[in-house]
Amino acid sequence: MSANALEVRLREGRERIDLARYTDTLTQVQRALNDIDHVLTQRKTVRPAWIVQDLGHDEQELVVRLSARETSRRDHASLLASIDALVSGVEQLQETPEVPQYYTATTVERLLRIGKPGNGVQEVSLATVNDTAGPHFPVSEPVREHARLAMTGTQVSLGSVAGWIDQMSVRRLNKGVSSVSLFDPSTRRAVLGRLPAEMQAVVESMWRRRVLARGTVWRNDHGQVVKIDIEHLEPLPEEPATPAPVAELLGIAPDWLGGQSVDDYIREARRA
């Protein structure tokens, strides 16, 4: 069953939680949800308007439930899909230093900020809510360490990344270098692409298009590509929204079986 809300729990220490830390944590959660929603939809659409569904205090924990305001411009279940992805990512990072599906480098950075103890916060945990809250997954030190390792490139080589380029993630880095997000539908993960400022016009011309980026590639210890220093960009053909029907494929290679029937070809292949 899909989530209908996200529960955020902030556990207090001996001191009360600072107001600035409380609001910043919720802001980072909201932005992480929007990061994931942007990757999930891969198209220009109305974004979720996150609202406070419930607010409470449970012993030493401040409890906030967030949901998305319904709109006629988008299915409500799709507005809430990022909740499952966010919580599933925290659950995965408890066990392994891999970039979760639908996460970007920015999402990981937000998670590190959400889970950092201090200013009255001992721990932040997240749970999906399907009428009742599911298991809570703390953004603990092991989770944060796995997140850091997942984004650490330990293997370097020349290579390429195919994906959808996202101009909305363009941001200025040091020394005149900008960055973009490249989402690979086959892995359902996004790769950080760094490129010189002079390629900015090229990026803008390929916004929200499927491209092939070539350059120096960094992979983590699990072999996942986490970033690429882009030296060349070229557009790729758009993938069809739906696969071609079988009827359209029949007869496209009449000589492929050497004049044999399908049954004869299979019998001969099995004898080989």
Side-chain angles (χ1 to χ4, degrees):
M1 185 183 298
S2 298
N4 51 43
L6 172 70
E7 185 166 285
V8 184
R9 286 180 171 256
L10 297 89
R11 181 156 55 86
E12 295 177 309
R14 294 181 179 179
E15 300 177 352
R16 292 289 188 178
I17 296 174
D18 289 358
L19 176 60
R21 171 59 198 273
Y22 177 75
T23 56
D24 181 66
T25 298
L26 295 182
T27 298
Q28 295 306 318
V29 169
Q30 174 193 9
R31 290 175 177 173
L33 290 168
N34 286 341
D35 290 341
I36 293 172
D37 181 75
H38 200 81
V39 173
L40 275 167
T41 56
Q42 281 299 296
R43 67 182 187 276
K44 187 176 180 180
T45 185
V46 61
R47 297 297 166 197
W50 298 101
I51 58 175
V52 177
Q53 187 184 72
D54 196 14
L55 189 63
H57 194 275
D58 183 9
E59 295 182 352
Q60 286 187 290
E61 293 185 323
L62 300 181
V63 184
V64 185
R65 285 193 180 183
L66 303 176
S67 190
R69 181 176 284 115
E70 294 191 33
T71 173
S72 59
R73 298 170 60 191
R74 185 172 165 189
D75 177 73
H76 195 232
S78 73
L79 289 170
L80 299 170
S82 56
I83 292 175
D84 284 311
L86 177 63
V87 176
S88 295
V90 177
E91 180 183 11
Q92 176 190 321
L93 286 167
Q94 287 184 324
E95 304 295 334
T96 179
E98 290 185 324
V99 181
Q101 290 186 340
Y102 306 113
Y103 274 49
T104 66
T106 303
T107 315
V108 173
E109 290 172 4
R110 297 196 195 286
L111 198 65
L112 293 173
R113 187 166 171 175
I114 290 166
K116 183 178 179 180
N119 302 109
V121 174
Q122 281 194 336
E123 185 177 84
V124 177
S125 62
L126 307 176
T128 56
V129 179
N130 299 310
D131 299 326
T132 59
H136 286 80
F137 298 102
V139 189
S140 59
E141 178 53 35
V143 168
R144 298 193 301 277
E145 180 62 19
H146 283 162
R148 285 188 285 264
L149 290 173
M151 295 306 302
T152 302
T154 57
Q155 306 167 37
V156 185
S157 64
L158 294 176
S160 61
V161 174
W164 296 88
I165 196 164
D166 182 1
Q167 188 186 15
M168 298 301 293
S169 294
V170 173
R171 53 180 182 162
R172 181 69 64 187
L173 297 177
N174 295 329
K175 299 179 181 179
V177 177
S178 297
S179 74
V180 295
S181 175
L182 288 165
F183 178 70
D184 182 354
S186 65
T187 62
R188 298 181 180 178
R189 293 180 175 89
V191 174
L192 175 67
R194 304 189 302 189
L195 66 161
E198 56 266 26
M199 290 186 68
Q200 185 67 44
V202 178
V203 171
E204 292 174 354
S205 70
M206 298 184 184
W207 173 54
R208 305 297 281 171
R209 293 185 62 184
R210 186 167 172 263
V211 301
L212 182 68
R214 293 193 178 97
T216 303
V217 171
W218 276 261
R219 291 178 172 82
N220 62 21
D221 287 340
H222 283 256
Q224 292 178 309
V225 177
V226 294
K227 62 182 175 181
I228 176 172
D229 276 355
I230 301 173
E231 299 171 5
H232 177 74
L233 276 173
E234 62 184 79
L236 292 175
E238 301 291 340
E239 294 180 332
T242 56
V246 174
E248 293 184 8
L249 301 177
L250 293 175
I252 61 173
D255 298 325
W256 188 49
L257 304 182
Q260 296 174 300
S261 68
V262 173
D263 290 339
D264 290 341
Y265 179 83
I266 291 175
R267 278 194 293 269
E268 183 173 325
R270 286 174 176 171
R271 286 196 297 267

